[in-house]
PDB file of all heavy atoms in Angstrom:
ATOM      1  N   LEU A 138       8.511  23.505 112.257  1.00 98.00           N
ATOM      2  CA  LEU A 138       7.941  23.340 113.600  1.00 98.00           C
ATOM      3  C   LEU A 138       6.594  24.044 113.668  1.00 98.00           C
ATOM      4  O   LEU A 138       6.268  24.888 112.829  1.00 98.00           O
ATOM      5  CB  LEU A 138       8.877  23.860 114.691  1.00 98.00           C
ATOM      6  CG  LEU A 138       9.260  25.347 114.758  1.00 98.00           C
ATOM      7  CD1 LEU A 138       8.143  26.236 115.314  1.00 98.00           C
ATOM      8  CD2 LEU A 138      10.488  25.519 115.637  1.00 98.00           C
ATOM      9  N   PHE A 139       5.822  23.688 114.701  1.00 98.00           N
ATOM     10  CA  PHE A 139       4.584  24.389 115.005  1.00 98.00           C
ATOM     11  C   PHE A 139       4.764  25.151 116.309  1.00 98.00           C
ATOM     12  O   PHE A 139       5.276  24.621 117.291  1.00 98.00           O
ATOM     13  CB  PHE A 139       3.403  23.423 115.097  1.00 98.00           C
ATOM     14  CG  PHE A 139       2.718  23.202 113.782  1.00 98.00           C
ATOM     15  CD1 PHE A 139       3.235  22.304 112.862  1.00 98.00           C
ATOM     16  CD2 PHE A 139       1.573  23.912 113.452  1.00 98.00           C
ATOM     17  CE1 PHE A 139       2.630  22.116 111.628  1.00 98.00           C
ATOM     18  CE2 PHE A 139       0.953  23.737 112.223  1.00 98.00           C
ATOM     19  CZ  PHE A 139       1.482  22.833 111.314  1.00 98.00           C
ATOM     20  N   MET A 140       4.328  26.417 116.299  1.00 98.00           N
ATOM     21  CA  MET A 140       4.410  27.251 117.488  1.00 98.00           C
ATOM     22  C   MET A 140       3.216  27.026 118.413  1.00 98.00           C
ATOM     23  O   MET A 140       3.291  27.273 119.609  1.00 98.00           O
ATOM     24  CB  MET A 140       4.499  28.726 117.073  1.00 98.00           C
ATOM     25  CG  MET A 140       5.766  29.038 116.282  1.00 98.00           C
ATOM     26  SD  MET A 140       5.738  30.687 115.505  1.00 98.00           S
ATOM     27  CE  MET A 140       4.843  30.333 113.978  1.00 98.00           C
ATOM     28  N   ASN A 141       2.118  26.601 117.844  1.00 98.00           N
ATOM     29  CA  ASN A 141       0.908  26.253 118.587  1.00 98.00           C
ATOM     30  C   ASN A 141       0.066  25.368 117.661  1.00 98.00           C
ATOM     31  O   ASN A 141       0.560  24.916 116.628  1.00 98.00           O
ATOM     32  CB  ASN A 141       0.136  27.500 119.039  1.00 98.00           C
ATOM     33  CG  ASN A 141      -0.105  28.481 117.899  1.00 98.00           C
ATOM     34  OD1 ASN A 141      -0.651  28.125 116.854  1.00 98.00           O
ATOM     35  ND2 ASN A 141       0.326  29.731 118.071  1.00 98.00           N
ATOM     36  N   GLU A 142      -1.166  25.114 118.015  1.00 98.00           N
ATOM     37  CA  GLU A 142      -1.982  24.194 117.226  1.00 98.00           C
ATOM     38  C   GLU A 142      -2.301  24.719 115.822  1.00 98.00           C
ATOM     39  O   GLU A 142      -2.589  23.948 114.918  1.00 98.00           O
ATOM     40  CB  GLU A 142      -3.286  23.889 117.961  1.00 98.00           C
ATOM     41  CG  GLU A 142      -3.084  23.093 119.239  1.00 98.00           C
ATOM     42  CD  GLU A 142      -4.394  22.723 119.892  1.00 98.00           C
ATOM     43  OE1 GLU A 142      -5.449  22.894 119.248  1.00 98.00           O
ATOM     44  OE2 GLU A 142      -4.374  22.258 121.049  1.00 98.00           O
ATOM     45  N   GLU A 144      -0.440  27.693 114.223  1.00 98.00           N
ATOM     46  CA  GLU A 144       0.627  28.410 113.524  1.00 98.00           C
ATOM     47  C   GLU A 144       1.900  27.572 113.413  1.00 98.00           C
ATOM     48  O   GLU A 144       2.446  27.099 114.416  1.00 98.00           O
ATOM     49  CB  GLU A 144       0.937  29.716 114.247  1.00 98.00           C
ATOM     50  CG  GLU A 144      -0.229  30.693 114.249  1.00 98.00           C
ATOM     51  CD  GLU A 144       0.072  31.922 115.065  1.00 98.00           C
ATOM     52  OE1 GLU A 144       0.153  31.802 116.306  1.00 98.00           O
ATOM     53  OE2 GLU A 144       0.218  33.010 114.476  1.00 98.00           O
ATOM     54  N   GLY A 145       2.358  27.401 112.172  1.00 98.00           N
ATOM     55  CA  GLY A 145       3.576  26.657 111.915  1.00 98.00           C
ATOM     56  C   GLY A 145       4.493  27.414 110.985  1.00 98.00           C
ATOM     57  O   GLY A 145       4.082  28.358 110.287  1.00 98.00           O
ATOM     58  N   ILE A 146       5.755  27.004 110.947  1.00 99.00           N
ATOM     59  CA  ILE A 146       6.752  27.686 110.119  1.00 99.00           C
ATOM     60  C   ILE A 146       7.794  26.678 109.646  1.00 99.00           C
ATOM     61  O   ILE A 146       8.128  25.729 110.355  1.00 99.00           O
ATOM     62  CB  ILE A 146       7.424  28.837 110.917  1.00 99.00           C
ATOM     63  CG1 ILE A 146       8.351  29.653 110.019  1.00 99.00           C
ATOM     64  CG2 ILE A 146       8.175  28.307 112.136  1.00 99.00           C
ATOM     65  CD1 ILE A 146       8.842  30.943 110.671  1.00 99.00           C
ATOM     66  N   LYS A 160       4.749  29.815 106.059  1.00 98.00           N
ATOM     67  CA  LYS A 160       4.003  29.805 107.306  1.00 98.00           C
ATOM     68  C   LYS A 160       2.562  29.347 107.079  1.00 98.00           C
ATOM     69  O   LYS A 160       2.024  29.475 105.978  1.00 98.00           O
ATOM     70  CB  LYS A 160       3.985  31.210 107.935  1.00 98.00           C
ATOM     71  CG  LYS A 160       5.319  31.688 108.480  1.00 98.00           C
ATOM     72  CD  LYS A 160       5.186  33.063 109.126  1.00 98.00           C
ATOM     73  CE  LYS A 160       4.265  33.032 110.332  1.00 98.00           C
ATOM     74  NZ  LYS A 160       4.154  34.350 111.001  1.00 98.00           N
ATOM     75  N   TYR A 195      11.372  27.381 118.995  1.00 98.00           N
ATOM     76  CA  TYR A 195      10.386  28.342 119.491  1.00 98.00           C
ATOM     77  C   TYR A 195      10.270  28.195 121.001  1.00 98.00           C
ATOM     78  O   TYR A 195       9.989  27.115 121.506  1.00 98.00           O
ATOM     79  CB  TYR A 195       9.035  28.101 118.835  1.00 98.00           C
ATOM     80  CG  TYR A 195       7.965  29.108 119.222  1.00 98.00           C
ATOM     81  CD1 TYR A 195       8.028  30.426 118.773  1.00 98.00           C
ATOM     82  CD2 TYR A 195       6.888  28.730 120.029  1.00 98.00           C
ATOM     83  CE1 TYR A 195       7.054  31.339 119.119  1.00 98.00           C
ATOM     84  CE2 TYR A 195       5.899  29.643 120.372  1.00 98.00           C
ATOM     85  CZ  TYR A 195       5.986  30.949 119.913  1.00 98.00           C
ATOM     86  OH  TYR A 195       5.018  31.856 120.257  1.00 98.00           O
ATOM     87  N   LEU A 200      11.137  33.033 118.241  1.00 98.00           N
ATOM     88  CA  LEU A 200      11.707  32.071 117.317  1.00 98.00           C
ATOM     89  C   LEU A 200      13.207  32.286 117.214  1.00 98.00           C
ATOM     90  O   LEU A 200      13.676  33.431 117.117  1.00 98.00           O
ATOM     91  CB  LEU A 200      11.092  32.230 115.926  1.00 98.00           C
ATOM     92  CG  LEU A 200       9.751  31.552 115.654  1.00 98.00           C
ATOM     93  CD1 LEU A 200       9.175  32.062 114.331  1.00 98.00           C
ATOM     94  CD2 LEU A 200       9.890  30.038 115.621  1.00 98.00           C
ATOM     95  N   LYS A 217       6.893  35.922 115.353  1.00 98.00           N
ATOM     96  CA  LYS A 217       6.597  34.633 114.707  1.00 98.00           C
ATOM     97  C   LYS A 217       7.101  34.554 113.275  1.00 98.00           C
ATOM     98  O   LYS A 217       6.456  33.992 112.395  1.00 98.00           O
ATOM     99  CB  LYS A 217       5.100  34.340 114.789  1.00 98.00           C
ATOM    100  CG  LYS A 217       4.607  34.191 116.224  1.00 98.00           C
ATOM    101  CD  LYS A 217       3.141  33.873 116.315  1.00 98.00           C
ATOM    102  CE  LYS A 217       2.738  33.676 117.778  1.00 98.00           C
ATOM    103  NZ  LYS A 217       1.292  33.406 117.947  1.00 98.00           N
TER     104      LYS A 217
END
Side-chain angles (χ1 to χ4, degrees):
L138 63 76
F139 271 81
M140 296 169 276
N141 51 54
E142 293 184 11
E144 296 175 290
I146 186 169
K160 290 182 63 178
Y195 184 70
L200 277 168
K217 297 181 177 178

